[in-house]
Amino acid sequence: MSSDASSPDASSPDARSTDATSTVATVHAEAPFARKTPLRCQLVVVEGSDMGRAVTLGTEEVSVGSDAGCDLVLHDDRVSRRHLTLRALPDGAGFQVRDLDSRNATLYQGSAVTEAVVPAGATLRVGHTALRLQPEPELLEVMPSQSRRLGEMVAESLAMREVFAVLELAAQSDVTVLLEGETGTGKELAARALHDGGARRARPFVAIDCGALPESLLETELFGHVKGAFTGASTPRQGAFARAHGGTIFLDELDSVPLSVQARLLRVVEERRVRPVGADAEREVDVRIVAAARGHLPGRVADGSFRPDLYYRLSVVRVVLPPLRRRREDIAPVVRELLRRRGIEDPGPVDGPNLDRLMAHDWPGNLRELRNVIDRALALSPGEGQFGALRLAPGAQAAHAPDPLAVRTDLSFAEAKQVVLEAFERRYLQDVLQRCEGNISATARESGLDRKHLKTLLRRYGLLAG
């Protein structure tokens, strides 16, 4: 496995970046099974106009201020040109902070400091900016699991068996886990395996698709509301955190959560206390948190669309699930498992021309697409229980579709252009809608279209009823 710097600000000269898909798992220092190596930290802006910027700390002094020559430059009008310096103490005893006679002081735990030694995890405030000494993530070295099955997941590939090994370790504690991977790679199955393999298995598992809900409903779904909190709130409602009390909450599509909700979510993650919408009092919740994202969250931190403090709280253990095209040796065992779950205990050998067709496909929809292909083949091959006799056609829609860019020269330029445009729109929307399994919110995100405009187009081409 390769290393992962996971620096949150890819634009910073001090930042380092790697391909997230090359890393199976990284851990922060608070993970109970992290390797015992010398602790390295970053100074990360977790609040303020420069949120997400970071600089790596070493034994040499690192300068912070508004001057362009500082190692970490802050665009905060209450920060001095050279505000403070930090360095790691060589004996690992902490980090030395030195205020450089700044105009508005350097605050630690609410008090101004001239010179102090602070631990990893400390938060400093300068002007309107909060800085956190965040332990850098490190690569988790594990031997691949000997098991070919974990929960409802099956695999032969080394990449997935490494993922299994990390999940098996993580299941033994309540450590917070962040799962990253393309759509359809099995993130919810991994979250369920963590829950079922741990001490909370007899308690609730509550999954929330954060990307399928508008902001106004997302807060209510996560935190609940009291009676009369808003128009239509005629009865109180428990949120997902309260429903998951004692068990596990799975926050899917985390990268779609707006910043305003991220701020409330951070408090729940840190304090394990929830305030329902419209309530005066908080309630404690005892939950294990597993989060998932399709995108590369450190990149979202860097562009300011995801809070770095929330990212670090959720990515105590960060696991990347590889796409199916990078582990094609898993196709045969997954197909065998899918057929077994559909009542076909003896499908015969999973090989031959049918397997060749599956191996040749790129699987943009990953395991979800493979499941759909198997279900379609079973529907088109009634009574057939042998894999070799199934009518398998991965990517059949694209393969048998007429050329959407065929040009009709018997029409005027404007008319011919309109025909091509309509063919493109229909084919594009049909394909994305199918990959998203009819989910309008997911289709809007995939296509980059406004939800309302998307629904208008889908109705125009008969792809949405009503």
Side-chain angles (χ1 to χ4, degrees):
M1 291 184 286
S2 62
S3 63
D4 179 11
S6 289
S7 177
D9 183 3
S11 64
S12 167
D14 303 290
R16 296 168 289 160
S17 62
T18 60
D19 179 3
T21 60
S22 69
T23 304
V24 170
T26 55
V27 297
H28 287 102
E30 56 264 48
F33 45 88
R35 284 190 292 120
K36 302 302 182 184
T37 55
L39 184 64
R40 288 176 55 84
C41 277
Q42 297 172 311
L43 185 68
V44 184
V45 181
V46 295
E47 185 179 309
S49 58
D50 297 290
M51 188 171 71
R53 293 188 64 82
V55 63
T56 299
L57 298 176
T59 54
E60 298 293 324
E61 279 194 334
V62 167
S63 58
V64 180
S66 60
D67 187 87
C70 289
D71 297 298
L72 179 61
V73 180
L74 301 177
H75 302 89
D76 182 336
D77 58 10
R78 292 183 60 82
V79 169
S80 299
R81 291 177 60 82
R82 290 180 56 81
H83 200 106
L84 74 150
T85 61
L86 298 96
R87 70 180 183 93
L89 296 177
D91 58 1
F95 298 83
Q96 184 182 58
V97 179
R98 191 161 58 91
D99 185 83
L100 303 178
D101 296 323
S102 62
R103 295 192 309 271
N104 296 305
T106 298
L107 302 180
Y108 174 55
Q109 296 183 342
S111 300
V113 298
T114 302
E115 188 169 323
V117 175
V118 300
T123 299
L124 306 173
R125 182 164 289 277
V126 292
H128 300 297
T129 301
L131 308 166
R132 186 176 186 216
L133 282 80
Q134 174 63 43
E136 284 189 339
E138 60 175 319
L139 178 67
L140 177 63
E141 299 283 0
V142 293
M143 294 297 292
S145 174
Q146 295 302 304
S147 175
R148 267 63 175 175
R149 177 184 295 273
L150 184 66
E152 296 183 21
M153 299 184 291
V154 295
E156 285 287 342
S157 67
L158 185 64
M160 276 304 291
R161 285 167 47 217
E162 288 177 334
V163 169
F164 284 5
V166 176
L167 296 178
E168 287 166 352
L169 281 172
Q172 303 310 308
S173 71
D174 277 347
V175 64
T176 302
V177 177
L178 172 65
L179 303 168
E180 288 189 358
E182 296 177 9
T183 182
T185 48
K187 295 186 288 294
E188 184 166 348
L189 295 180
R192 287 186 178 276
L194 282 168
H195 174 74
D196 293 340
R200 296 174 179 263
R201 64 178 67 89
R203 304 293 292 170
F205 176 89
V206 178
I208 298 296
D209 183 356
C210 300
L213 298 168
E215 181 177 344
S216 56
L217 293 181
L218 180 58
E219 288 199 69
T220 295
E221 183 60 33
L222 288 175
F223 313 125
H225 66 254
V226 298
K227 180 179 178 180
F230 50 84
T231 303
S234 56
T235 59
R237 173 177 170 79
Q238 277 196 329
F241 278 94
R243 299 199 303 273
H245 183 71
T248 301
I249 186 168
F250 174 55
L251 303 173
D252 199 5
E253 301 278 358
L254 188 73
D255 40 348
S256 66
V257 175
L259 282 167
S260 58
V261 179
Q262 289 176 31
R264 290 199 64 188
L265 188 57
L266 174 64
R267 175 163 174 76
V268 180
V269 173
E270 288 184 325
E271 305 293 336
R272 294 300 198 269
R273 300 181 67 85
V274 174
R275 185 194 302 274
V277 176
D280 295 325
E282 295 181 325
R283 63 162 292 182
E284 291 187 3
V285 288
D286 171 25
V287 293
R288 196 252 177 91
I289 299 175
V290 181
R294 287 185 306 160
H296 182 50
L297 277 186
R300 297 290 302 274
V301 171
D303 66 22
S305 60
F306 200 87
R307 293 183 64 100
D309 42 6
L310 179 58
Y311 167 72
Y312 287 119
R313 288 296 187 188
L314 293 173
S315 63
V316 178
V317 177
R318 174 172 165 261
V319 182
V320 179
L321 275 64
L324 189 56
R325 63 183 175 276
R326 296 187 181 176
R327 50 184 183 98
R328 295 178 189 271
E329 61 267 47
D330 289 340
I331 291 176
V334 169
V335 167
R336 194 176 293 109
E337 177 68 10
L338 289 171
L339 293 173
R340 185 190 67 79
R341 292 181 191 172
R342 283 146 183 78
I344 303 175
E345 294 293 340
D346 182 17
V350 180
D351 57 17
N354 263 352
L355 182 59
D356 292 342
R357 292 187 186 96
L358 299 182
M359 296 289 280
H361 189 54
D362 277 343
W363 301 108
N366 293 293
L367 296 173
R368 185 178 293 122
E369 183 184 1
L370 177 57
R371 182 194 66 199
N372 291 345
V373 166
I374 295 299
D375 286 345
R376 182 166 63 242
L378 291 172
L380 297 176
S381 312
E384 184 54 68
Q386 295 293 299
F387 172 75
L390 294 177
R391 299 175 62 183
L392 288 174
Q397 190 171 19
H400 296 121
D403 180 4
L405 296 181
V407 177
R408 292 186 55 182
T409 56
D410 58 322
L411 301 175
S412 69
F413 176 83
E415 290 172 327
K417 180 179 178 181
Q418 186 62 30
V419 169
V420 171
L421 178 61
E422 290 179 357
F424 161 75
E425 288 182 345
R426 178 190 295 273
R427 197 65 44 77
Y428 177 87
L429 294 171
Q430 193 173 36
D431 181 66
V432 177
L433 187 66
Q434 182 182 32
R435 284 195 288 111
C436 295
E437 297 184 303
N439 186 304
I440 300 298
S441 296
T443 303
R445 290 194 302 274
E446 286 279 330
S447 62
L449 292 171
D450 174 77
R451 181 186 171 95
K452 184 176 180 181
H453 180 52
L454 170 64
K455 293 178 76 171
T456 299
L457 290 175
L458 292 175
R459 291 192 181 96
R460 177 186 302 168
Y461 295 113
L463 302 175
L464 182 66

